[in-house]
Amino acid sequence: MLRTDDLQMFVLTAELGSLSAAARRLELSPAVASAALKRLEAALGCRLLVRSTRSLRLTGEGEQYLPHARSALQSLLDGQQLLAGGKATISGPLQLSAPSDFGRNVLLPWLDAFQQQHPLLSLRLLLADRNADLFRQPVDIALRYGQPEDSSLVALPVAPGNRRVLCVSPEYLAVYGAPRSLAELAGHNCLRFMLAGRVHERWCFHEGRRELAQLVSGDRVSDDADVVRRWALAGRGVVYKSWLDVAQDVQAGRLVVLLPALTGEAAPLNLICAHRAQLGETLRLLREHLVERCRELLDQAPFAG
């Protein structure tokens, strides 16, 4: 009879491309992990993986069997949740990656509330603006703006209607005034951040159906979006940020939205996971929790309605 822990080891090894990485993720020794794969191969009567000291790849039989192994694990999880009945009790570790600004200034209290609702859940939060490698890093799911470049990843919408807005502090306005048109941004100090490894300095908008773009410059660039927001709060210049990142600052009067008649770039927020086998009850409840709170902020957006 096949063992579920052996199936889990096979699926995780195939996804990570490394037996040792899968063993670390499951907190097993390499010897125990290797024994699990050998036991599964013996039960099936075929080789699933070709292993050497430097590489690992699926055999033809392994490629064929992998989706069935994933489906079996998901089916068992669905059955377990069905038997739980009612409001599911979720427990265990949740490993989540999130953007630095959104994570520090918006997400943290939302996660506090989520853990209060589900006290058996433990949290590991990684904050970075660089996209986490969901196949190699110790991360289950990631919150990210925009659609994933890797089409094999699963993206679940959290705030599909989110957009960027142009903002500045009242202190900056008092000294330099507000730009009256997009072209006047060329005369202002624009605070830029790194996006996909490049400086985000071409700021795009829509005016009705017409697309507008302005190349901006300034004396500060950072690869950490939270730093750029802090510079804006300190009155150092103009910033073009996701509404979710700055909504609370705008509502509190710490930042002011500029040129509200222009519609900023789309910045949809998604929950990203490596495969559909991860779409369990924890992810479903977390997504519902985040969707509701994002909706509350988006209802106050200058582009709402």
Side-chain angles (χ1 to χ4, degrees):
M1 180 177 290
L2 300 180
R3 293 172 46 165
T4 56
D5 53 344
D6 293 351
L7 286 175
Q8 186 180 23
M9 175 55 66
F10 166 62
V11 169
L12 193 56
T13 299
E15 289 171 352
L16 297 179
S18 167
L19 177 62
S20 59
R24 286 194 299 272
R25 178 76 66 88
L26 297 176
E27 298 183 348
L28 299 174
S29 70
V32 171
S34 180
L37 290 178
K38 289 179 181 178
R39 191 164 49 238
L40 179 61
E41 289 175 331
L44 295 173
C46 65
R47 293 288 297 276
L48 299 174
L49 296 160
V50 177
R51 302 184 291 276
S52 69
T53 56
R54 294 187 177 181
S55 65
L56 178 147
R57 64 175 177 82
L58 288 167
T59 63
E61 291 86 353
E63 292 277 4
Q64 290 179 321
Y65 189 65
L66 181 59
H68 296 284
R70 284 175 174 160
S71 178
L73 290 172
Q74 183 61 44
S75 181
L76 290 170
L77 178 60
D78 291 344
Q80 182 182 359
Q81 293 168 356
L82 179 65
L83 292 176
K87 184 178 179 181
T89 299
I90 58 175
S91 61
L94 171 63
Q95 301 180 117
L96 173 66
S97 171
S100 64
D101 194 354
F102 180 80
R104 290 188 183 98
N105 303 302
V106 182
L107 183 63
L108 285 182
W110 295 357
L111 291 178
D112 286 342
F114 189 68
Q115 278 193 289
Q116 288 175 2
Q117 296 172 18
H118 307 284
L120 298 181
L121 195 69
S122 62
L123 179 68
R124 177 173 182 170
L125 179 63
L126 304 179
L127 298 180
D129 289 319
R130 297 181 181 88
N131 289 344
D133 187 335
L134 295 176
F135 293 104
R136 299 189 179 277
Q137 290 183 264
V139 173
D140 298 319
I141 52 178
L143 272 168
R144 283 288 173 257
Y145 288 120
Q147 296 297 326
E149 295 181 2
D150 187 343
S151 60
S152 69
L153 296 175
V154 179
L156 303 176
V158 172
N162 184 51
R163 291 185 175 275
R164 299 189 195 281
V165 291
L166 200 62
C167 291
V168 72
S169 72
E171 291 76 14
Y172 182 92
L173 283 179
V175 177
Y176 300 102
R180 292 167 295 179
S181 67
L182 195 58
E184 288 189 10
L185 281 179
H188 286 264
N189 194 45
C190 293
L191 308 171
R192 297 156 297 157
F193 56 88
M194 306 293 290
L195 192 63
R198 296 182 179 180
V199 177
H200 185 230
E201 57 189 2
R202 187 175 184 269
W203 293 358
C204 297
F205 300 82
H206 278 88
E207 187 175 42
R209 295 185 177 182
R210 190 162 63 109
E211 183 175 342
L212 305 172
Q214 178 64 44
L215 192 65
V216 299
S217 62
D219 62 2
R220 300 186 184 207
V221 177
S222 177
D223 65 348
D224 188 318
D226 184 37
V227 169
V228 176
R229 171 184 160 274
R230 290 171 184 265
W231 283 339
L233 290 172
R236 305 304 182 191
V238 180
V239 71
Y240 191 37
K241 292 275 290 170
S242 155
W243 169 254
L244 292 176
D245 291 349
V246 299
Q248 297 178 59
D249 294 319
V250 172
Q251 292 165 0
R254 294 185 292 266
L255 291 176
V256 177
V257 175
L258 300 174
L259 303 177
L262 299 180
T263 302
E265 291 178 330
L269 183 66
N270 296 289
L271 270 172
I272 311 294
C273 60
H275 52 76
R276 294 195 173 274
Q278 294 174 282
L279 304 183
E281 192 67 6
T282 299
L283 183 53
R284 183 185 72 81
L285 292 173
L286 176 63
R287 182 190 176 203
E288 289 179 356
H289 182 77
L290 297 177
V291 165
E292 179 63 28
R293 278 148 184 79
C294 285
R295 185 181 295 118
E296 293 171 359
L297 294 181
L298 289 171
D299 285 345
Q300 306 301 316
F303 49 81

